[in-house]
Amino acid sequence: MQTNVILIGFMGTGKSAVGRFAAHRLGFQFLDTDALIVEREGMEISQIFALRGEEYFRDLETRVLESLTHYQRCVFSTGGGLVLREQNRALLRELGFVVLLTAREDVIFDRVTRTSKRPLLRTENPQDTIAHMLAERQPIYESAAQCIIDTSDLSRDAVGEAVIAKAREAFGW
Ligand code: S3P
């Protein structure tokens, strides 16, 4: 297994904030697949969805993952839908230790409604949308993960420490 840590999970589970913290503590580089896409396309995620559609965005996610296969000593945070493609799940397994961050539905709702940057949640009833998406995705997230951390009642730092502890165990450090 390559020495990278990959954070997967639904929107609002803290992947980016936790990833940045854990990378800093481990002395690893931090990379966020959404940020890489925005940088490469020169467009915000919501613009990509609006102008090119979701399938196009999913292709970009696969391309970004493929470009990361030679990286070592990184913490990657990934977009919430990246694991939906089997091809991407296979790429993640090669890339390193995959940690799933979860949170209760109400916690996710509170966290994501603080910003409006998620195109998939711009619906009439975001709470319902979250519930449906979570039900559909949870088994996929779990099948892609080597360990699961519930972030609902934990601070960013506490989740980061838990990620590091699990990674140390997995890598045998
Ligand atoms: C998505 C999650 C978003 C972003 C895009 C689609 C999803 O990332 O990739 O809006 O399908 O769950 P975050 O999980 O970082 O919000």
Side-chain angles (χ1 to χ4, degrees):
M1 181 165 58
Q2 285 178 229
T3 47
N4 298 301
V5 179
I6 303 117
L7 301 180
I8 64 167
F10 201 76
M11 298 172 260
T13 51
K15 292 163 292 181
S16 302
V18 168
R20 197 170 288 111
F21 173 87
H24 182 72
R25 288 292 302 264
L26 287 167
F28 280 20
Q29 188 183 354
F30 171 70
L31 288 167
D32 179 321
T33 59
D34 278 346
L36 290 172
I37 288 174
V38 168
E39 196 182 299
R40 289 177 192 187
E41 290 294 292
M43 251 192 267
E44 290 304 319
I45 304 284
S46 53
Q47 271 181 300
I48 301 173
F49 269 76
L51 296 176
R52 309 252 193 263
E54 181 169 349
E55 268 314 290
Y56 179 87
F57 175 76
R58 300 297 174 204
D59 288 338
L60 294 176
E61 289 190 310
T62 301
R63 255 186 275 148
V64 161
L65 267 190
E66 284 167 346
S67 74
L68 298 175
T69 49
H70 299 296
Y71 281 66
Q72 297 282 0
R73 296 173 61 83
C74 286
V75 177
F76 298 110
S77 74
T78 59
L82 183 137
V83 298
L84 299 178
R85 282 192 180 177
E86 165 53 33
Q87 185 187 2
N88 294 355
R89 296 198 289 278
L91 285 165
L92 288 184
R93 280 193 289 275
E94 282 173 34
L95 203 56
F97 180 59
V98 183
V99 180
L100 169 62
L101 301 186
T102 64
R104 289 190 308 270
E105 227 171 275
D106 58 308
V107 173
I108 289 177
F109 180 72
D110 281 350
R111 290 181 188 165
V112 298
T113 46
R114 278 186 229 141
T115 73
S116 63
K117 64 182 174 100
R118 271 115 174 171
L120 293 176
L121 299 180
R122 286 187 194 145
T123 60
E124 258 177 46
N125 189 337
Q127 202 157 1
D128 260 12
T129 307
I130 290 171
H132 281 112
M133 288 175 78
L134 270 176
E136 212 174 271
R137 289 180 176 188
Q138 196 57 27
I140 303 174
Y141 286 136
E142 287 177 15
S143 77
Q146 286 160 285
C147 95
I148 304 178
I149 299 170
D150 183 353
T151 68
S152 304
D153 302 309
L154 297 177
S155 67
R156 178 208 62 178
D157 291 12
V159 179
E161 296 296 353
V163 168
I164 292 168
K166 297 281 188 189
R168 285 195 198 287
E169 233 175 84
F171 292 122
W173 301 332

